[in-house]
Amino acid sequence: MPEQRRILIVDDDARNIKVAANALNDTGVVIGFAKSGEEALNRLRETPFDLILLDVMMPRLDGFQVCSRLKEDPRTAGIPVIFLTARTDEESIERAYEVGGIDYVSKPFRTRELAARVRVQLRQLDLIERLEFLATRDSLTGVFNRRRFFELGSVMLAEFRGELVAMMIDVDHFKRINDAYGHQVGDAVLRQIASTIETTLPQGALFGRLGGEEFALLVRVRDAEEAMVYADRLRECVASIDLAQVEGSGLRCTISIGLSVAEGDVSLDAVLNEADRMLYRAKDEGRNRAVLRG
Ligand SMILES: Nc1nc2c(ncn2[C@@H]2O[C@H](COP(=O)(O)OP(=O)(O)OP(=O)(O)O)[C@@H](O)[C@H]2O)c(=O)[nH]1
């Protein structure tokens, strides 16, 4: 069940807010409101909204200026804006689209028409989110795919350089599972491992499947020791997964982990390569173990 959509109505006249909110009664959305452009920008910094109904004529910051600012900020640029205004001249309508508005409704509006236009935008949002999910997730496990992992990982590295550890995680002797039980069971095992790892993730950690039976993790840690404690716990969690539901015959599997702390101005590629080298060492040393560069 998707979360309820949130709509922000921005108008300097409280009566207009009330009329618009009433018009949306049957759409099942949660309504927030702001009585000036400044208040709207502040609210949007604190609370996420899915759609904005924006008046144009307001003192100080007008609706066009508010919309331009929203579109300049990557955190709010994706929120669709419907202008709701008494202005009906062609120049204003053109301007509304130029500054990034997605629709334009003139006041006084017809309530069912406003609700219908809002519903159209909410349907578009559902579609965009669905497409975004497909483009950024691994289809087998639902965790981030390689592309998204690298996109988010680069941002994370820029922000938390020096506090991050990269981990490369590989399932041990996975080919044997495929060979013995078939590819479908192999798939189910990968899904189970991914979801188990997800349940252990500390706040803010980034986890993705880079391909095959290889996963990667970026985690904020105080020091290398904390990273090793976490990696060992992760390993134990996977080793203790009861794969009985998957295969029913006492099937177990283990993972090996290579770790590298992101130091200096190391790139994401470099730190993951280093973690990968440590992963090979873990495999060489007998598997079901974690090895930290150092
Ligand atoms: N079921 C399934 N198997 C996959 C998938 N992707 C890769 N594999 C299999 O994963 C296996 C990886 O085998 P190897 O690279 O030899 O490694 P391994 O058997 O895990 O051995 P070590 O990594 O050395 O412990 C191959 O048999 C691939 O076919 C997938 O999406 N589903």
Side-chain angles (χ1 to χ4, degrees):
M1 176 86 181
E3 271 183 32
Q4 259 183 312
R5 294 291 187 185
R6 301 171 53 83
I7 297 189
L8 183 67
I9 304 175
V10 188
D11 201 305
D12 57 333
D13 186 333
R15 284 166 305 180
N16 289 342
I17 292 179
K18 205 163 169 212
V19 175
N22 283 341
L24 301 181
N25 257 346
D26 294 338
T27 55
V29 298
V30 175
I31 306 270
F33 63 87
K35 288 168 77 180
S36 69
E38 293 86 345
E39 193 187 333
L41 293 172
N42 285 336
R43 283 214 66 178
L44 287 158
R45 263 192 285 274
E46 291 157 13
T47 321
F49 281 92
D50 299 297
L51 179 68
I52 302 168
L53 296 185
L54 185 56
D55 183 26
V56 173
M57 288 181 286
M58 294 185 287
R60 296 179 302 279
L61 275 185
D62 70 24
F64 296 143
Q65 290 168 307
V66 173
C67 189
S68 300
R69 292 207 192 171
L70 293 174
K71 297 298 157 188
E72 281 162 13
D73 184 339
R75 289 166 301 180
T76 51
I79 309 175
V81 172
I82 300 179
F83 281 101
L84 199 56
T85 169
R87 284 204 196 167
T88 52
D89 59 293
E90 208 173 358
E91 203 183 323
S92 294
I93 297 175
E94 187 181 35
R95 179 95 198 278
Y97 289 111
E98 272 170 9
V99 295
I102 200 146
D103 199 1
Y104 189 100
V105 179
S106 43
K107 289 192 273 197
F109 54 81
R110 287 179 287 242
T111 53
R112 281 161 61 188
E113 179 185 338
L114 179 68
R117 284 173 182 264
V118 164
R119 279 199 201 91
V120 167
Q121 295 308 331
L122 296 180
R123 279 205 298 274
Q124 300 278 28
L125 275 180
D126 289 343
L127 185 66
I128 290 168
E129 284 174 9
R130 176 94 193 109
L131 290 175
E132 198 173 285
F133 186 87
L134 291 174
T136 56
R137 300 290 173 147
D138 167 50
S139 58
L140 179 70
T141 61
V143 303
F144 287 126
N145 64 17
R146 184 184 189 90
R147 174 156 35 110
R148 192 62 172 161
F149 180 87
F150 274 87
E151 278 170 9
L152 295 176
S154 305
V155 175
M156 204 170 156
L157 187 61
E159 194 168 352
F160 301 114
R161 189 171 288 289
E163 301 170 46
L164 280 187
V165 64
M167 301 190 196
M168 293 293 284
I169 302 167
D170 189 280
V171 185
D172 296 327
H173 294 307
F174 188 62
K175 188 172 178 310
R176 290 184 192 168
I177 294 176
N178 272 336
D179 291 348
Y181 301 97
H183 219 262
Q184 259 185 331
V185 170
D187 281 357
V189 169
L190 287 177
R191 275 197 292 268
Q192 185 68 52
I193 290 176
S195 72
T196 301
I197 293 176
E198 272 195 311
T199 61
T200 72
L201 293 181
Q203 182 93 21
L206 177 66
F207 176 50
R209 181 181 180 212
L210 299 195
E213 15 75 273
E214 193 167 70
F215 297 89
L217 242 178
L218 280 180
V219 188
R220 277 179 81 184
V221 285
R222 275 190 304 274
D223 51 31
E225 194 183 335
E226 189 187 14
M228 275 305 273
V229 169
Y230 173 67
D232 279 328
R233 191 159 69 82
L234 197 58
R235 222 174 28 72
E236 283 158 18
C237 279
V238 171
S240 63
I241 299 175
D242 180 7
L243 291 165
Q245 310 102 299
V246 172
E247 225 298 308
S249 64
L251 170 63
R252 295 269 161 197
C253 70
T254 59
I255 53 173
S256 298
I257 307 176
L259 298 91
S260 174
V261 176
E263 281 161 345
D265 58 358
V266 68
S267 68
L268 185 58
D269 269 333
V271 73
L272 285 170
N273 281 339
E274 199 49 39
D276 205 33
R277 256 178 14 95
M278 296 305 111
L279 171 62
Y280 275 94
R281 200 176 284 177
K283 294 270 181 185
D284 280 347
E285 289 175 9
R287 297 179 173 79
N288 190 20
R289 67 195 60 215
V291 174
L292 173 76
R293 185 184 70 122

